[in-house]
Amino acid sequence: MSVRVRFAPSPTGRLHVGNIYVALNNWLFARQRGGSFLLRLDDTDIERSTAEFAAGIEADLAWLGLAWDLFARQSQRLASYDSAAARLKQSGRLYPCYETAEELALKRKVQLSQGKPPVYDRAALKLTDSDRARLEAAGITPHWRFRLEGRRVEWHDHVRGAEHIDTSSQSDPVLIRADGTYLYTLPSVVDDIELGVSHVIRGNDHVTNTATQIQIFEALGAKAPEFAHLPLLVDAAGEGLSKRLGSLSIADLRAQGLEPMALNAYLAHIGTGDPVLPVRHLDELVAGHDLAKFGKSSPRFDPVELLHLNARLLHLLPFAEAQAHLASLGLGSVDAALWDVARSNVEKVEEVAEWYRICRGTIPPQVTDPAFAGAAADVLPPEPWDEGTWKSWTDAVKAATGRKGKDLFMPLRLALTGLDHGPELKLLLPLIGRDKALRRLRGESA
Ligand code: GLU
């Protein structure tokens, strides 16, 4: 069977880094095995799913380069779920239950007070046809539970290794609500069967669903796919990400000006034990991908580390690959020479604006010692300038003023750039040019 994986977000919110960590691992797994990647929108919750969130999911994945080979929406596949449900009803695996939420809560309370696990007692299985007819005549519509086989279910998890769950300790899960809508469990299984999913790679918050889902696959006459449950990300302090998902949404990271590949490279490396490296193309992440590198412990997502990785990525980024991002920030007039000098001094592309201003625009004077700056101005060599100009000029300044080291360089840097840090002056000087250099050394805005 060929490899097919799926990323199955619900369009009930924005994607965040935890979602992309799962999506990326699916995508890399598919690419490495010559398989296909399905984007499935789990939009059966009509109240909370919106077209805007669905469009946001597609835009976020496209921005990251995580292209999908197939696309499905659960809201368009209800007929398949209905027919699977009908088969399960026919075989007696899906049975109607009439308890209200209050009755169920009371049952659980009694069980707990008797020291018993709060497992559904299957009272509905004992109802006769006439009991059911009476309840329905009284206006009660049933919800439907899947009858679990109380046994140990085992699977080999691609991340966690040998796993097992004994379903005799679980309640028969509700698959269909009284209003006829489906919970996530059955549609997911039906889709995985009908859309040919070979490997389910998802967060470990779904481990407890797995035994139930394996039994549903079998009850529908299908072979269960293979499973891999990734550990959930935590923040730098080791806390779950759920409280601050807003700030870690993909839309937000994009608006902050991060490179999509910084995020991809970061998420592909954390938790694997491999060093976090700046990688420029998704394809370069494929060969090293291995689900077995993940353990059960949660990878730490640290925005500061991500920003550092972004900076390291920019240092390697050729002008041709930076141009589109520069243009989107209104920095379309930055040229290759300026980019090559500035890229090693920025953490984000937008910071190139400052070096553009320094090299091509106007900055206020920063002359700390006018006599020294004037003497330096007097020995500025004629153009054309190149990388060697800085050395010949500063040798001349040294000879004329007797200064050396920091006392020589820092006032020149401040006068020429207005800053006490930045790229090497031998690279900046030819970009600034003689006219501006002369005026800045004389204390003029230029
Ligand atoms: N829509 C489910 C979720 O976002 C999908 C879970 C799965 O991958 O099976 O949690």
Side-chain angles (χ1 to χ4, degrees), residues 6 8-10 40 42 184 188 200-202 205-206 213:
R6 84 292 196 284
S10 297
R40 184 182 91 197
D42 286 4
Y184 143 82
S188 182
V200 169
I201 304 170
R202 58 188 177 184
D205 47 339
H206 287 289
Q213 290 189 330

Side-chain angles (χ1 to χ4, degrees), residues 129-445:
D129 283 348
S130 61
D131 290 334
R132 282 191 284 268
R134 187 173 37 77
L135 286 159
E136 284 176 33
I140 305 176
T141 24
H143 54 277
W144 296 78
R145 286 186 192 261
F146 178 71
R147 188 167 52 74
L148 291 167
E149 296 167 43
R151 63 176 170 85
R152 183 178 154 111
V153 176
E154 298 178 352
W155 74 94
H156 173 79
D157 196 289
H158 283 254
V159 171
R160 300 164 63 88
E163 279 287 349
H164 68 268
I165 289 178
D166 189 341
T167 56
S168 50
S169 61
Q170 296 189 330
S171 293
D172 287 343
V174 176
L175 300 190
I176 308 175
R177 299 183 186 92
D179 66 3
T181 59
Y182 291 96
L183 284 103
Y184 143 82
T185 321
L186 179 65
S188 182
V189 170
V190 172
D191 289 341
D192 288 342
I193 296 171
E194 294 187 7
L195 303 174
V197 169
S198 62
H199 294 76
V200 169
I201 304 170
R202 58 188 177 184
N204 69 14
D205 47 339
H206 287 289
V207 169
T208 49
N209 293 333
T210 304
T212 299
Q213 290 189 330
I214 288 175
Q215 291 194 2
I216 300 175
F217 278 103
E218 291 169 358
L220 289 170
K223 184 174 168 297
E226 295 188 33
F227 289 91
H229 290 95
L230 293 161
L232 302 184
L233 301 185
V234 291
D235 67 14
E239 302 284 326
L241 289 184
S242 53
K243 286 187 213 86
R244 31 184 311 214
L245 290 183
S247 67
L248 294 177
S249 74
I250 304 309
D252 204 70
L253 294 173
R254 183 181 184 177
Q256 286 172 30
L258 292 169
E259 299 305 304
M261 272 312 298
L263 191 57
N264 286 329
Y266 187 59
L267 290 175
H269 288 124
I270 52 171
T272 63
D274 292 341
V276 174
L277 296 174
V279 168
R280 276 178 32 224
H281 302 116
L282 272 171
D283 291 348
E284 295 166 53
L285 293 171
V286 173
H289 182 256
D290 182 359
L291 289 174
K293 284 184 185 168
F294 294 94
K296 284 188 189 174
S297 58
S298 296
R300 270 167 207 268
F301 184 93
D302 182 349
V304 176
E305 251 192 283
L306 174 62
L307 188 59
H308 289 160
L309 185 66
N310 199 69
R312 288 161 70 201
L313 189 69
L314 293 183
H315 303 175
L316 301 174
L317 203 64
F319 177 60
E321 288 178 31
Q323 260 177 311
H325 195 172
L326 285 166
S328 75
L329 296 169
L331 292 170
S333 34
V334 168
D335 53 52
L338 181 66
W339 170 256
D340 286 348
V341 171
R343 67 178 175 176
S344 56
N345 265 270
V346 295
E347 285 191 315
K348 292 186 203 164
V349 171
E350 70 199 26
E351 294 162 23
V352 170
E354 177 154 44
W355 294 104
Y356 183 76
R357 199 166 53 86
I358 289 166
C359 296
R360 308 267 192 250
T362 303
I363 58 166
Q366 282 282 344
V367 174
T368 47
D369 181 343
F372 170 71
D378 289 343
V379 293
L380 265 181
E383 282 179 319
W385 283 3
D386 59 21
E387 281 186 26
T389 306
W390 170 252
K391 168 102 175 62
S392 44
W393 178 43
T394 49
D395 282 350
V397 178
K398 204 183 292 178
T401 64
R403 290 211 198 188
K404 53 184 195 314
K406 209 174 167 216
D407 288 345
L408 172 75
F409 302 124
M410 194 47 86
L412 296 182
R413 181 179 280 282
L414 279 172
L416 293 172
T417 69
L419 297 173
D420 62 3
H421 61 273
E424 285 183 273
L425 283 161
K426 72 170 186 182
L427 303 175
L428 281 174
L429 194 61
L431 294 176
I432 294 169
R434 194 171 193 281
D435 178 52
K436 281 188 199 302
L438 195 61
R439 292 170 58 196
R440 288 176 190 172
L441 288 163
R442 287 184 178 153
E444 296 169 26
S445 281

